[in-house]
Amino acid sequence: MKTIALLSFAAAALGAPRGTTEPLAAKLSVVATTPDLASLAKAIGGDAVDVKALAKPTEDSHFVDAKPSHIVTLNRADVLIEGGAELELGWLPPLLESARNSRIAAGAPGRVVASHGIKMLEIPETFDRSKGDVHALGNPHFMIDPLNAKIIAADIADHLAQVDPKSADVFKANLQAFNTALDAKLAEWQKQLAPYRGAKIVTYHKDFVYLAERFGLVVVETLEPKPGIAPSPAHLAKVITTMRAEKARVILVQPYQNRRTAETVARQTDAVVLDVSQQPGAIKGTDTYLDLMDHLVQTLVNALQGDK
Amino acid sequence: MYMNIGFSGLMDAGWSSTADVQSLQRGDHDPAVRGFTVPNEEITLDGAVDPYFKGFVDIVYKIDPEGESALELEEAYILTTSLPANLQLKAGQFYTEFGRQNQQHPHAWVFVDQPLVLNRMFGPDGMRGQGARLSWLAPTSWYTEAMVTVQNSLGETMYSFRSEESSEIHGGIPAEREVRGGGDMVVVPRLATSFDLTPTQTLLLGVSGAFGPNNSGTSNRTSVYGADLYWRWKSATAGQGFPFFSLQSEVLYRRYGAAEREAIDQATVTLPRETIGDRGAYTQVLWGIRPRIVAGLRAEVASGNTTSFDSELRADRTRISPNFTLYPSEFSKVRLQYNYDDRKGIGRDHSIWLQFEFILGAHAAHRF
């Protein structure tokens, strides 16, 4: 009796073990490295998937802790979606080494690398760290261009269908719905930002280049002198001079970036600091990718409008 | 490129109240002199071998205080990537997975020098050797990993077992002994578990043991036990990983069965059969204040029971080390550390060390 009780307790405590080759009949376990990718996965997967993001919406996705709970999450995943282009280079590899999950191995149907279909901007000609921590494969913050989100959504739908063929029709339908919604929204955003083509903006890090490219904005300066290098007084003086000359009155700052530095510069240039994020969930009311872009565009329009 | 190549260079500069710095700073990758030390110049190679294995190589170049260069193959091993049943095998030459710090490469250390207790238990180079490690990730909803390592018991880096340097532990002439069976290997089981206490706090706990033959006699054994704890908090809006707080603690105990043996320093003296016990602990706290600045404090003790022989190396020791590290970027660091060292029966010493590190090429991401 005691043995049976002990074994039952052990079985209950351990839960159901999972093999490393066959996906479960229940919902697919989809893991995304960042919340923006998770948002696309939710839109495409719908009820057929359970989606989890490893990075928090409010944290710097270059520097996520490779904590052991992420190993467990990756071990149980049917699909992994990563940004790629070296964004997760500082933390994903040791997690994958410990994850023991061939479903999400490189090249497997369950492994989606978002950067693979994207036309990358700012691919460096030489690899030289005196230029700061430049990503060798180009600027990895490409999700902030809605047309890139469409490409990635299609890629996700494709991989989900390979992993779970019986739900392929669901994914296709969801993708179509997503594309329809996004096309309509994109037309709206283009219309809202049209009067501000050529407007000069400043960002903390070089992370809004794809947005600028898509909507015709001009990033005249970043508060970081070089990617990953802290703002120095000398560089900030240069930024202030440039902002005055170019009449740039808007500084974009994400939740994990140093707002006080941005405020100091804003005070000296009559500019306004905009609290924005590239990750759904960081700011209230931005739980999906489309909501996030809505908030971003509206925030920009309000600020640039006030300027005119 | 099919392989990542990285290089890290460490340099120390500083002063100590004792001219015999190496008697105080006993780690092989510690500062070694008043003046400048180049303790660890490391090339790491890693990459996927094929769909089944990843390979890792770690080669270290050192220059000793006399200016002699030494080359060490620290690690060269494969890791399986697709074994069933959540298993993973590591095989080759590698740092033994005991506790937390033993398997960390010197350039990843958050203090300038090796902890006292690890030096006492595993020697100046830490425990590493040739063998294999099998690990199992348990199907629990929180992280639990169970592993066992089997390695050769012979070598300089098997200090508690069959090393020429083991005389420092048992005071006798090392006995010749052969590998007669599986029992003459070193076996290191380890169990580790981790919980996210909150979305911003993680706790990792582990217990380890190392069991094997020692060379104080022909049939003697050593047992080492360790417990480790790591706690970390990182802000939900951490920029570049800051701010954060972390605490790491390890406590170790070694039970060394020593045979009747001839004293190494006095030819006519025979030391009796005895159990040599050593224990020690360290706790280190880090405060990542704001991007690229970290303040640290470490407190340590190491002690042992009274044995039949005298050894300066077995003196009770305590050490306190505050330090401050600046990282101009992810690829360089400058660290200033003060050591207050108290060796019972020997005296108190003060040292101040400035360390610089640079990284070229691929920077392998660190384990948590």
Side-chain angles (χ1 to χ4, degrees), chain A residues 216-257:
Chain A
L217 305 168
V218 181
V219 181
V220 295
E221 261 295 0
T222 59
L223 299 186
E224 287 179 341
K226 290 173 181 170
I229 305 296
S232 64
H235 175 71
L236 291 179
K238 181 163 162 279
V239 170
I240 289 166
T241 309
T242 304
M243 284 178 73
R244 286 177 183 157
E246 303 276 353
K247 302 214 192 338
R249 297 266 164 74
V250 149
I251 305 178
L252 270 59
V253 169
Q254 296 208 54
Y256 53 86
Q257 293 165 343

mmCIF file of all heavy atoms in Angstrom, chain A residues 216-257:
data_model
loop_
_atom_site.group_PDB
_atom_site.id
_atom_site.type_symbol
_atom_site.label_atom_id
_atom_site.label_comp_id
_atom_site.label_asym_id
_atom_site.label_seq_id
_atom_site.Cartn_x
_atom_site.Cartn_y
_atom_site.Cartn_z
ATOM 1 N N GLY A 216 8.958 56.876 -44.454
ATOM 2 C CA GLY A 216 9.605 58.086 -44.942
ATOM 3 C C GLY A 216 10.068 59.045 -43.865
ATOM 4 O O GLY A 216 10.204 60.245 -44.095
ATOM 5 N N LEU A 217 10.325 58.535 -42.657
ATOM 6 C CA LEU A 217 10.871 59.401 -41.602
ATOM 7 C C LEU A 217 12.397 59.364 -41.685
ATOM 8 O O LEU A 217 12.961 58.478 -42.304
ATOM 9 C CB LEU A 217 10.419 58.902 -40.226
ATOM 10 C CG LEU A 217 8.908 58.753 -40.040
ATOM 11 C CD1 LEU A 217 8.603 57.968 -38.760
ATOM 12 C CD2 LEU A 217 8.236 60.114 -40.013
ATOM 13 N N VAL A 218 13.038 60.339 -41.068
ATOM 14 C CA VAL A 218 14.505 60.405 -41.118
ATOM 15 C C VAL A 218 15.071 60.370 -39.697
ATOM 16 O O VAL A 218 14.799 61.254 -38.895
ATOM 17 C CB VAL A 218 14.975 61.698 -41.831
ATOM 18 C CG1 VAL A 218 16.495 61.749 -41.888
ATOM 19 C CG2 VAL A 218 14.370 61.789 -43.232
ATOM 20 N N VAL A 219 15.843 59.342 -39.414
ATOM 21 C CA VAL A 219 16.496 59.264 -38.096
ATOM 22 C C VAL A 219 17.800 60.040 -38.193
ATOM 23 O O VAL A 219 18.763 59.570 -38.797
ATOM 24 C CB VAL A 219 16.779 57.807 -37.693
ATOM 25 C CG1 VAL A 219 17.440 57.746 -36.320
ATOM 26 C CG2 VAL A 219 15.497 56.974 -37.705
ATOM 27 N N VAL A 220 17.828 61.248 -37.607
ATOM 28 C CA VAL A 220 19.019 62.083 -37.808
ATOM 29 C C VAL A 220 20.142 61.738 -36.840
ATOM 30 O O VAL A 220 21.308 62.021 -37.106
ATOM 31 C CB VAL A 220 18.699 63.588 -37.708
ATOM 32 C CG1 VAL A 220 17.781 64.002 -38.839
ATOM 33 C CG2 VAL A 220 18.102 63.949 -36.363
ATOM 34 N N GLU A 221 19.790 61.176 -35.691
ATOM 35 C CA GLU A 221 20.815 60.865 -34.696
ATOM 36 C C GLU A 221 20.294 59.794 -33.754
ATOM 37 O O GLU A 221 19.087 59.616 -33.595
ATOM 38 C CB GLU A 221 21.158 62.104 -33.851
ATOM 39 C CG GLU A 221 22.417 62.849 -34.275
ATOM 40 C CD GLU A 221 23.719 62.069 -34.109
ATOM 41 O OE1 GLU A 221 23.693 60.903 -33.656
ATOM 42 O OE2 GLU A 221 24.775 62.626 -34.463
ATOM 43 N N THR A 222 21.241 59.074 -33.097
ATOM 44 C CA THR A 222 20.872 58.221 -31.971
ATOM 45 C C THR A 222 21.617 58.740 -30.744
ATOM 46 O O THR A 222 22.693 59.328 -30.868
ATOM 47 C CB THR A 222 21.257 56.751 -32.209
ATOM 48 O OG1 THR A 222 22.675 56.671 -32.425
ATOM 49 C CG2 THR A 222 20.534 56.159 -33.399
ATOM 50 N N LEU A 223 21.010 58.530 -29.557
ATOM 51 C CA LEU A 223 21.674 58.984 -28.336
ATOM 52 C C LEU A 223 22.923 58.158 -28.049
ATOM 53 O O LEU A 223 23.884 58.640 -27.465
ATOM 54 C CB LEU A 223 20.695 58.938 -27.155
ATOM 55 C CG LEU A 223 19.464 59.841 -27.308
ATOM 56 C CD1 LEU A 223 18.637 59.831 -26.020
ATOM 57 C CD2 LEU A 223 19.844 61.264 -27.672
ATOM 58 N N GLU A 224 22.917 56.892 -28.466
ATOM 59 C CA GLU A 224 24.149 56.095 -28.376
ATOM 60 C C GLU A 224 25.102 56.581 -29.464
ATOM 61 O O GLU A 224 24.701 56.718 -30.612
ATOM 62 C CB GLU A 224 23.849 54.616 -28.605
ATOM 63 C CG GLU A 224 23.139 53.931 -27.450
ATOM 64 C CD GLU A 224 22.840 52.453 -27.750
ATOM 65 O OE1 GLU A 224 22.840 52.063 -28.937
ATOM 66 O OE2 GLU A 224 22.607 51.698 -26.790
ATOM 67 N N PRO A 225 26.363 56.848 -29.129
ATOM 68 C CA PRO A 225 27.294 57.279 -30.187
ATOM 69 C C PRO A 225 27.544 56.184 -31.209
ATOM 70 O O PRO A 225 27.714 56.445 -32.389
ATOM 71 C CB PRO A 225 28.583 57.612 -29.406
ATOM 72 C CG PRO A 225 28.437 56.986 -28.071
ATOM 73 C CD PRO A 225 26.985 56.779 -27.796
ATOM 74 N N LYS A 226 27.578 54.939 -30.722
ATOM 75 C CA LYS A 226 27.680 53.754 -31.586
ATOM 76 C C LYS A 226 26.825 52.684 -30.936
ATOM 77 O O LYS A 226 26.599 52.726 -29.727
ATOM 78 C CB LYS A 226 29.147 53.279 -31.654
ATOM 79 C CG LYS A 226 30.027 54.219 -32.424
ATOM 80 C CD LYS A 226 31.495 53.838 -32.332
ATOM 81 C CE LYS A 226 32.328 54.831 -33.109
ATOM 82 N NZ LYS A 226 33.759 54.636 -32.864
ATOM 83 N N PRO A 227 26.354 51.715 -31.711
ATOM 84 C CA PRO A 227 25.458 50.708 -31.143
ATOM 85 C C PRO A 227 26.053 50.032 -29.916
ATOM 86 O O PRO A 227 27.174 49.536 -29.964
ATOM 87 C CB PRO A 227 25.274 49.708 -32.287
ATOM 88 C CG PRO A 227 25.543 50.486 -33.516
ATOM 89 C CD PRO A 227 26.586 51.490 -33.162
ATOM 90 N N GLY A 228 25.305 50.053 -28.800
ATOM 91 C CA GLY A 228 25.753 49.370 -27.596
ATOM 92 C C GLY A 228 26.706 50.170 -26.731
ATOM 93 O O GLY A 228 27.106 49.720 -25.664
ATOM 94 N N ILE A 229 27.072 51.366 -27.171
ATOM 95 C CA ILE A 229 27.999 52.203 -26.401
ATOM 96 C C ILE A 229 27.188 53.296 -25.701
ATOM 97 O O ILE A 229 26.352 53.951 -26.332
ATOM 98 C CB ILE A 229 29.059 52.851 -27.323
ATOM 99 C CG1 ILE A 229 29.785 51.781 -28.122
ATOM 100 C CG2 ILE A 229 30.042 53.711 -26.529
ATOM 101 C CD1 ILE A 229 30.600 50.800 -27.298
ATOM 102 N N ALA A 230 27.437 53.496 -24.415
ATOM 103 C CA ALA A 230 26.642 54.439 -23.625
ATOM 104 C C ALA A 230 26.796 55.873 -24.122
ATOM 105 O O ALA A 230 27.873 56.271 -24.556
ATOM 106 C CB ALA A 230 27.068 54.362 -22.163
ATOM 107 N N PRO A 231 25.706 56.666 -24.050
ATOM 108 C CA PRO A 231 25.777 58.078 -24.463
ATOM 109 C C PRO A 231 26.824 58.826 -23.633
ATOM 110 O O PRO A 231 26.851 58.701 -22.420
ATOM 111 C CB PRO A 231 24.378 58.618 -24.152
ATOM 112 C CG PRO A 231 23.493 57.431 -24.110
ATOM 113 C CD PRO A 231 24.340 56.304 -23.648
ATOM 114 N N SER A 232 27.688 59.570 -24.284
ATOM 115 C CA SER A 232 28.709 60.352 -23.589
ATOM 116 C C SER A 232 28.338 61.835 -23.697
ATOM 117 O O SER A 232 27.639 62.225 -24.634
ATOM 118 C CB SER A 232 30.067 60.125 -24.236
ATOM 119 O OG SER A 232 30.042 60.615 -25.560
ATOM 120 N N PRO A 233 28.790 62.658 -22.738
ATOM 121 C CA PRO A 233 28.468 64.088 -22.796
ATOM 122 C C PRO A 233 28.876 64.723 -24.134
ATOM 123 O O PRO A 233 28.132 65.534 -24.688
ATOM 124 C CB PRO A 233 29.278 64.679 -21.637
ATOM 125 C CG PRO A 233 29.472 63.550 -20.693
ATOM 126 C CD PRO A 233 29.558 62.315 -21.530
ATOM 127 N N ALA A 234 30.042 64.324 -24.637
ATOM 128 C CA ALA A 234 30.511 64.898 -25.908
ATOM 129 C C ALA A 234 29.557 64.541 -27.038
ATOM 130 O O ALA A 234 29.195 65.396 -27.863
ATOM 131 C CB ALA A 234 31.914 64.394 -26.225
ATOM 132 N N HIS A 235 29.150 63.289 -27.078
ATOM 133 C CA HIS A 235 28.249 62.871 -28.154
ATOM 134 C C HIS A 235 26.896 63.555 -28.022
ATOM 135 O O HIS A 235 26.306 63.988 -29.018
ATOM 136 C CB HIS A 235 28.075 61.356 -28.170
ATOM 137 C CG HIS A 235 27.072 60.884 -29.174
ATOM 138 N ND1 HIS A 235 27.303 60.926 -30.546
ATOM 139 C CD2 HIS A 235 25.816 60.416 -29.031
ATOM 140 C CE1 HIS A 235 26.241 60.475 -31.184
ATOM 141 N NE2 HIS A 235 25.325 60.155 -30.294
ATOM 142 N N LEU A 236 26.383 63.675 -26.780
ATOM 143 C CA LEU A 236 25.071 64.300 -26.575
ATOM 144 C C LEU A 236 25.098 65.763 -27.000
ATOM 145 O O LEU A 236 24.119 66.284 -27.542
ATOM 146 C CB LEU A 236 24.629 64.154 -25.112
ATOM 147 C CG LEU A 236 24.293 62.721 -24.675
ATOM 148 C CD1 LEU A 236 23.900 62.682 -23.202
ATOM 149 C CD2 LEU A 236 23.194 62.121 -25.523
ATOM 150 N N ALA A 237 26.225 66.430 -26.790
ATOM 151 C CA ALA A 237 26.360 67.822 -27.242
ATOM 152 C C ALA A 237 26.207 67.877 -28.760
ATOM 153 O O ALA A 237 25.535 68.754 -29.311
ATOM 154 C CB ALA A 237 27.710 68.380 -26.814
ATOM 155 N N LYS A 238 26.806 66.891 -29.429
ATOM 156 C CA LYS A 238 26.709 66.808 -30.897
ATOM 157 C C LYS A 238 25.264 66.564 -31.311
ATOM 158 O O LYS A 238 24.755 67.172 -32.251
ATOM 159 C CB LYS A 238 27.621 65.681 -31.395
ATOM 160 C CG LYS A 238 27.652 65.483 -32.886
ATOM 161 C CD LYS A 238 28.893 64.653 -33.285
ATOM 162 C CE LYS A 238 28.733 64.051 -34.682
ATOM 163 N NZ LYS A 238 27.925 62.825 -34.695
ATOM 164 N N VAL A 239 24.580 65.673 -30.587
ATOM 165 C CA VAL A 239 23.175 65.360 -30.898
ATOM 166 C C VAL A 239 22.319 66.621 -30.776
ATOM 167 O O VAL A 239 21.483 66.909 -31.631
ATOM 168 C CB VAL A 239 22.634 64.256 -29.952
ATOM 169 C CG1 VAL A 239 21.127 64.106 -30.109
ATOM 170 C CG2 VAL A 239 23.310 62.921 -30.236
ATOM 171 N N ILE A 240 22.572 67.395 -29.713
ATOM 172 C CA ILE A 240 21.800 68.625 -29.485
ATOM 173 C C ILE A 240 22.002 69.608 -30.631
ATOM 174 O O ILE A 240 21.041 70.187 -31.160
ATOM 175 C CB ILE A 240 22.179 69.242 -28.123
ATOM 176 C CG1 ILE A 240 21.634 68.365 -26.986
ATOM 177 C CG2 ILE A 240 21.657 70.668 -27.990
ATOM 178 C CD1 ILE A 240 22.223 68.677 -25.624
ATOM 179 N N THR A 241 23.240 69.760 -31.040
ATOM 180 C CA THR A 241 23.545 70.653 -32.175
ATOM 181 C C THR A 241 22.812 70.208 -33.438
ATOM 182 O O THR A 241 22.181 71.020 -34.127
ATOM 183 C CB THR A 241 25.064 70.667 -32.449
ATOM 184 O OG1 THR A 241 25.753 70.922 -31.224
ATOM 185 C CG2 THR A 241 25.428 71.720 -33.480
ATOM 186 N N THR A 242 22.883 68.892 -33.712
ATOM 187 C CA THR A 242 22.239 68.355 -34.910
ATOM 188 C C THR A 242 20.725 68.541 -34.845
ATOM 189 O O THR A 242 20.084 68.940 -35.826
ATOM 190 C CB THR A 242 22.559 66.856 -35.062
ATOM 191 O OG1 THR A 242 23.971 66.681 -35.084
ATOM 192 C CG2 THR A 242 21.967 66.288 -36.344
ATOM 193 N N MET A 243 20.144 68.265 -33.659
ATOM 194 C CA MET A 243 18.682 68.385 -33.524
ATOM 195 C C MET A 243 18.223 69.821 -33.762
ATOM 196 O O MET A 243 17.178 70.054 -34.386
ATOM 197 C CB MET A 243 18.239 67.929 -32.140
ATOM 198 C CG MET A 243 18.233 66.413 -31.987
ATOM 199 S SD MET A 243 17.768 65.890 -30.340
ATOM 200 C CE MET A 243 16.007 66.239 -30.352
ATOM 201 N N ARG A 244 18.994 70.779 -33.274
ATOM 202 C CA ARG A 244 18.629 72.176 -33.485
ATOM 203 C C ARG A 244 18.734 72.531 -34.959
ATOM 204 O O ARG A 244 17.852 73.175 -35.514
ATOM 205 C CB ARG A 244 19.526 73.100 -32.661
ATOM 206 C CG ARG A 244 19.205 73.086 -31.183
ATOM 207 C CD ARG A 244 20.170 73.952 -30.410
ATOM 208 N NE ARG A 244 19.905 73.889 -28.983
ATOM 209 C CZ ARG A 244 20.816 74.158 -28.043
ATOM 210 N NH1 ARG A 244 22.046 74.490 -28.396
ATOM 211 N NH2 ARG A 244 20.493 74.089 -26.772
ATOM 212 N N ALA A 245 19.804 72.071 -35.597
ATOM 213 C CA ALA A 245 20.012 72.392 -37.017
ATOM 214 C C ALA A 245 18.936 71.761 -37.885
ATOM 215 O O ALA A 245 18.419 72.383 -38.818
ATOM 216 C CB ALA A 245 21.399 71.943 -37.455
ATOM 217 N N GLU A 246 18.599 70.493 -37.590
ATOM 218 C CA GLU A 246 17.655 69.762 -38.431
ATOM 219 C C GLU A 246 16.205 69.929 -37.980
ATOM 220 O O GLU A 246 15.296 69.399 -38.604
ATOM 221 C CB GLU A 246 17.996 68.256 -38.394
ATOM 222 C CG GLU A 246 19.400 67.923 -38.831
ATOM 223 C CD GLU A 246 19.538 67.806 -40.333
ATOM 224 O OE1 GLU A 246 18.499 67.855 -41.041
ATOM 225 O OE2 GLU A 246 20.665 67.668 -40.827
ATOM 226 N N LYS A 247 16.018 70.646 -36.849
ATOM 227 C CA LYS A 247 14.684 70.826 -36.277
ATOM 228 C C LYS A 247 14.020 69.472 -35.967
ATOM 229 O O LYS A 247 12.847 69.249 -36.269
ATOM 230 C CB LYS A 247 13.796 71.657 -37.211
ATOM 231 C CG LYS A 247 14.377 73.025 -37.517
ATOM 232 C CD LYS A 247 13.305 74.069 -37.688
ATOM 233 C CE LYS A 247 13.787 75.403 -38.270
ATOM 234 N NZ LYS A 247 15.216 75.710 -38.141
ATOM 235 N N ALA A 248 14.776 68.595 -35.389
ATOM 236 C CA ALA A 248 14.221 67.317 -34.936
ATOM 237 C C ALA A 248 13.654 67.539 -33.543
ATOM 238 O O ALA A 248 14.362 67.980 -32.639
ATOM 239 C CB ALA A 248 15.316 66.251 -34.901
ATOM 240 N N ARG A 249 12.336 67.255 -33.340
ATOM 241 C CA ARG A 249 11.712 67.606 -32.060
ATOM 242 C C ARG A 249 11.149 66.397 -31.328
ATOM 243 O O ARG A 249 10.362 66.530 -30.403
ATOM 244 C CB ARG A 249 10.566 68.609 -32.322
ATOM 245 C CG ARG A 249 11.055 69.902 -32.906
ATOM 246 C CD ARG A 249 11.320 70.954 -31.831
ATOM 247 N NE ARG A 249 12.117 72.062 -32.322
ATOM 248 C CZ ARG A 249 11.658 73.016 -33.133
ATOM 249 N NH1 ARG A 249 10.416 73.010 -33.538
ATOM 250 N NH2 ARG A 249 12.467 73.976 -33.526
ATOM 251 N N VAL A 250 11.572 65.218 -31.760
ATOM 252 C CA VAL A 250 10.973 63.998 -31.217
ATOM 253 C C VAL A 250 12.078 62.987 -30.908
ATOM 254 O O VAL A 250 12.961 62.740 -31.738
ATOM 255 C CB VAL A 250 9.984 63.435 -32.276
ATOM 256 C CG1 VAL A 250 9.887 61.956 -32.207
ATOM 257 C CG2 VAL A 250 8.626 64.092 -32.134
ATOM 258 N N ILE A 251 12.064 62.440 -29.648
ATOM 259 C CA ILE A 251 13.054 61.401 -29.273
ATOM 260 C C ILE A 251 12.285 60.148 -28.856
ATOM 261 O O ILE A 251 11.491 60.189 -27.904
ATOM 262 C CB ILE A 251 13.937 61.864 -28.103
ATOM 263 C CG1 ILE A 251 14.601 63.198 -28.425
ATOM 264 C CG2 ILE A 251 15.004 60.811 -27.797
ATOM 265 C CD1 ILE A 251 15.461 63.754 -27.295
ATOM 266 N N LEU A 252 12.518 59.043 -29.537
ATOM 267 C CA LEU A 252 11.839 57.779 -29.225
ATOM 268 C C LEU A 252 12.660 56.981 -28.221
ATOM 269 O O LEU A 252 13.853 56.730 -28.430
ATOM 270 C CB LEU A 252 11.664 56.942 -30.502
ATOM 271 C CG LEU A 252 10.392 57.142 -31.326
ATOM 272 C CD1 LEU A 252 10.279 58.581 -31.786
ATOM 273 C CD2 LEU A 252 10.366 56.219 -32.526
ATOM 274 N N VAL A 253 12.005 56.568 -27.118
ATOM 275 C CA VAL A 253 12.687 55.807 -26.066
ATOM 276 C C VAL A 253 11.856 54.581 -25.710
ATOM 277 O O VAL A 253 10.654 54.692 -25.499
ATOM 278 C CB VAL A 253 12.874 56.698 -24.807
ATOM 279 C CG1 VAL A 253 13.316 55.868 -23.628
ATOM 280 C CG2 VAL A 253 13.891 57.785 -25.080
ATOM 281 N N GLN A 254 12.501 53.426 -25.621
ATOM 282 C CA GLN A 254 11.799 52.191 -25.230
ATOM 283 C C GLN A 254 11.919 52.011 -23.711
ATOM 284 O O GLN A 254 12.797 52.624 -23.091
ATOM 285 C CB GLN A 254 12.396 51.007 -25.980
ATOM 286 C CG GLN A 254 12.190 51.112 -27.496
ATOM 287 C CD GLN A 254 12.135 49.765 -28.155
ATOM 288 O OE1 GLN A 254 11.346 48.912 -27.756
ATOM 289 N NE2 GLN A 254 12.994 49.552 -29.146
ATOM 290 N N PRO A 255 11.064 51.171 -23.097
ATOM 291 C CA PRO A 255 10.989 51.093 -21.627
ATOM 292 C C PRO A 255 12.314 50.803 -20.927
ATOM 293 O O PRO A 255 12.517 51.192 -19.793
ATOM 294 C CB PRO A 255 10.007 49.949 -21.366
ATOM 295 C CG PRO A 255 9.200 49.838 -22.605
ATOM 296 C CD PRO A 255 10.083 50.267 -23.724
ATOM 297 N N TYR A 256 13.225 50.093 -21.623
ATOM 298 C CA TYR A 256 14.467 49.698 -20.961
ATOM 299 C C TYR A 256 15.616 50.652 -21.266
ATOM 300 O O TYR A 256 16.751 50.421 -20.864
ATOM 301 C CB TYR A 256 14.857 48.269 -21.388
ATOM 302 C CG TYR A 256 14.905 48.088 -22.879
ATOM 303 C CD1 TYR A 256 16.050 48.398 -23.594
ATOM 304 C CD2 TYR A 256 13.797 47.611 -23.571
ATOM 305 C CE1 TYR A 256 16.087 48.244 -24.968
ATOM 306 C CE2 TYR A 256 13.824 47.456 -24.946
ATOM 307 C CZ TYR A 256 14.971 47.777 -25.635
ATOM 308 O OH TYR A 256 14.996 47.613 -26.992
ATOM 309 N N GLN A 257 15.318 51.715 -21.986
ATOM 310 C CA GLN A 257 16.374 52.663 -22.323
ATOM 311 C C GLN A 257 16.345 53.834 -21.349
ATOM 312 O O GLN A 257 15.339 54.086 -20.694
ATOM 313 C CB GLN A 257 16.212 53.121 -23.779
ATOM 314 C CG GLN A 257 16.475 51.971 -24.749
ATOM 315 C CD GLN A 257 15.994 52.248 -26.161
ATOM 316 O OE1 GLN A 257 15.194 53.141 -26.400
ATOM 317 N NE2 GLN A 257 16.487 51.462 -27.110
#
